[in-house]
Amino acid sequence: MERETVIVLDFGGQYNQLIARRVRECGVYCEIYSYKTDFEKIKALQPKGIIFTGGPNSCYEPGAPTYTPEIFEIGIPILGICYGSQLMMHLLGGTIGKAPVREYGKIEITVDQNSKLFTDVSEKTICWMSHNDYVEKMAPGFKASAHSDNCPYAAMENTEKNLYATQFHPEVLHTKEGQKMLSNFVFNVCGCAGDWRMDSFVEQSIKAIREKVGDGKVLCALSGGVDSSVAAVLLSKAVGEQLTCVFVDHGLLRKNEGDEVEAVFGPDGPYKLNFIRVNAQERFYSKLAGVTEPERKRKIIGEEFIRVFEEEAKKIGAVDFLVQGTIYPDVVESGVGGESTVIKSHHNVGGLPDYVDFKEIIEPLRDLFKDEVRRAGLELGIPDYLVYRQPFPGPGLGIRIIGDVTAEKVAMVQDADAIWREEIANAGLDKTISQYFAALTNMRSVGVMGDERTYDYAIALRAVTTTDFMTAESAQVPWEVIEKTTSRIVNEVKHINRVFYDCTGKPPATIEFE
Ligand code: XMP
């Protein structure tokens, strides 16, 4: 493999992606593979180093994840973390046992500063521990390089064989000098050069896409979201007008969003590509008329999207390549990369391949984490507001209008949402809140406007902070911001006479309302 790579061998640890990200932060490309991956395959990848992750098991349990001990014999440096360290010891002849005192949380360890792993790390340093088992007896050839009060072998090493092991988790931020330790492993032990950078990624991708595509035709479904935008620009830089982007406006986008996407990717924008905007609002509204059940709405929107896209694709005729904005967490979460079994059912509207006449899929962002996609976007000169766009669900406002969807309701939620976003931005909160939007509750209630009785809708404002969107907290938006937004919404948006703020976290609520 020409690209310098470190491999994370995943034993089911919850931090597998975090380890890969930390390694990439060192400028070293890193991929995650399940422990079920064939040894020959791992060997063939010729990694500069391998990291065994933690995992929930005990290594003597029947069926516990394991690996062939041959991996220790091929001269590639290995770092075992938590379960990974215990497994390393176990496979090489050490003994694992139940720790007399279970360590959980921030624990101070004392390190041996002669260890390559601990170069420039303080002698006493705080580390994140989370284990029931521990190493009772090290495997032959190993020496202890750190200990804590309750763990005599908090870190171990066999320098001759370049094998390193830590009972704690260097990848989590609670381990104060963890990044230094990982960087020590990657540079001092594995001898990496650390030249994985976004500019070189962009440059190499453009070159590789050109070679692959030749004079072929490429089709891309553009949603205006970060991933599909970055993928489209990358493709357009590589193959220019051989690329056609189809943008389906389903009438469930945020206010002015369709025009914004067109301004960037359309004929007056900076990119030379074929851009087709399909204004399919009416089709979607008529399919959705009277439908109230959330999953049914999702399904209708998803299916109709495919129909519209298919019709456009037919007009273009056969294409050679179809672009998809898949990113690395999608790959890992769908079980292809690591060991995680979480499968998101609802990302990307673009599950299209069956319907389009094409030969091959191009997934130019398949290796990147979200923040890397954003960096690639900036590198490509995509405007900030697109690169830092908050996540927006494929079914759009369709799932932010509780109950049936009509053009009038879409307009109400668009207007209220635009005000909320403007006020959040005015308050300088747009970079710290992960996702924020307005939703139309299906509730109508009595109000008074001037001297008139009203019977109108209630808008719910939502703002959450989260790192992974699996759990989230309701954001503590200052009252003045909510107050001002409320007053603007009831004054500026017709048929809204009440505004609520959603204080619920996830769980028990979800981020979206449907
Ligand atoms: P929930 O509502 O499940 O949302 O807490 C978590 C994240 O996923 C997004 N989301 C969707 N994205 N299609 C999508 O492409 C969907 O059907 C969908 N439902 C939720 C949501 O915006 C949030 O970021």
Side-chain angles (χ1 to χ4, degrees), residues 298 346-349 391-395 399-400 435 469 506 510-512 514:
R298 271 201 176 78
H346 58 38
H347 55 73
N348 287 345
V349 205
F392 186 65
I399 55 166
R400 290 182 182 170
Q435 202 171 359
F469 296 88
K506 170 185 180 178
T510 54
I511 297 174
E512 302 290 348
E514 290 200 325

Side-chain angles (χ1 to χ4, degrees), residues 329-336 340-347 470:
D330 302 336
V331 177
V332 176
E333 276 161 21
S334 63
V336 180
S340 160
T341 48
V342 191
I343 295 172
K344 266 195 258 170
S345 60
H346 58 38
H347 55 73
M470 306 282 196

Side-chain angles (χ1 to χ4, degrees), residues 40-60:
E40 290 306 321
K41 180 168 174 188
I42 298 288
K43 223 165 51 173
L45 292 166
Q46 298 179 3
K48 297 285 281 185
I50 299 175
I51 300 178
F52 286 10
T53 73
N57 300 75
S58 203
C59 62
Y60 294 130

